[in-house]
Amino acid sequence: MMEISNKKINEILNKEHSLKYHDKSELIDVVWPDFVEVEGCILIKKYTEDNMKINIEHIIHQFGDQTGFEASESHVHMIDISKTFKKHPLEGLRFAKKLFEIWSIKLKIDFPEYEFILILTYHDDDTILRFHRLRESEETWININNIEDFEEGIIIRKV
């Protein structure tokens, strides 16, 4: 695949970058996020951070392992994306299911050498989508063999 662009469109895109989308949620960045690898952790890049740095010792102390850190850091609440999803939580769930598909593809495109667990949960009228890398040396963030034990509705995908 080849793509070229001229200075004019690049200037326009850079200027537009500061604008917010759809209820000030930066919807584009939610639908097709920039995933970055920092110290072996895959995270959603936030545009406020140019050079992401993490203290891995602090992460392990606070979260127990890299998996817990990723699952905590790399998640999105649907009610934070749109006021509509606060009023109509099932629409948020439908939207999250589409994001689930998109993120599955995007993670494999960006990091084909890794396997991921994506987790979609629906509880208390909010849907949360999160992911983490699958590591042989660490447990999954959620026990995927006992999903019927969870109070919330849950979908788990390994990609």
Side-chain angles (χ1 to χ4, degrees):
M1 179 169 82
M2 185 182 98
E3 179 178 302
I4 59 173
S5 58
N6 67 5
K7 284 185 213 169
K8 184 73 175 168
I9 193 72
N10 292 333
E11 287 170 11
I12 292 166
L13 288 170
N14 287 335
K15 209 182 301 178
E16 293 296 313
H17 182 72
S18 63
L19 296 178
K20 305 291 184 194
Y21 302 94
H22 189 69
D23 294 333
K24 300 179 180 157
S25 69
E26 296 178 293
L27 189 58
I28 300 299
D29 299 330
V30 171
V31 173
W32 195 256
D34 284 334
F35 297 119
V36 293
E37 184 169 3
V38 184
E39 300 282 340
C41 295
I42 308 303
L43 305 170
I44 299 169
K45 182 176 184 215
K46 297 174 178 70
Y47 284 104
T48 53
E49 304 169 351
D50 276 339
N51 295 312
M52 294 177 70
K53 292 185 177 87
I54 59 175
N55 178 334
I56 203 69
E57 289 78 26
H58 177 70
I59 298 297
I60 301 301
H61 178 72
Q62 188 174 354
F63 293 93
D65 57 18
Q66 289 174 291
T67 297
F69 172 66
E70 279 176 342
S72 297
E73 284 294 307
S74 296
H75 76 278
V76 175
H77 290 258
M78 295 310 111
I79 61 171
D80 291 340
I81 291 174
S82 172
K83 293 174 191 161
T84 302
F85 300 153
K86 284 184 182 178
K87 292 181 200 151
H88 305 284
L90 292 179
E91 288 301 310
L93 174 60
R94 287 171 35 105
F95 184 79
K97 283 195 72 192
K98 290 291 183 191
L99 278 184
F100 194 69
E101 301 292 328
I102 294 167
W103 284 19
S104 296
I105 293 163
K106 180 79 163 65
L107 283 164
K108 287 312 283 183
I109 289 171
D110 290 357
F111 300 99
E113 68 278 18
Y114 296 141
E115 287 185 302
F116 295 91
I117 299 287
L118 286 92
I119 303 160
L120 182 150
T121 54
Y122 180 83
H123 185 66
D124 290 337
D125 296 335
D126 186 20
T127 306
I128 302 170
L129 180 59
R130 68 179 75 236
F131 70 88
H132 67 79
R133 259 183 66 195
L134 191 58
R135 296 175 174 87
E136 286 184 24
S137 60
E138 297 179 3
E139 294 291 319
T140 55
W141 183 73
I142 210 162
N143 185 340
I144 60 178
N145 298 316
N146 292 347
I147 64 169
E148 293 304 329
D149 294 345
F150 290 95
E151 284 182 29
E152 61 263 19
I154 189 166
I155 305 171
I156 297 173
R157 174 181 288 174
K158 179 179 163 186
V159 295

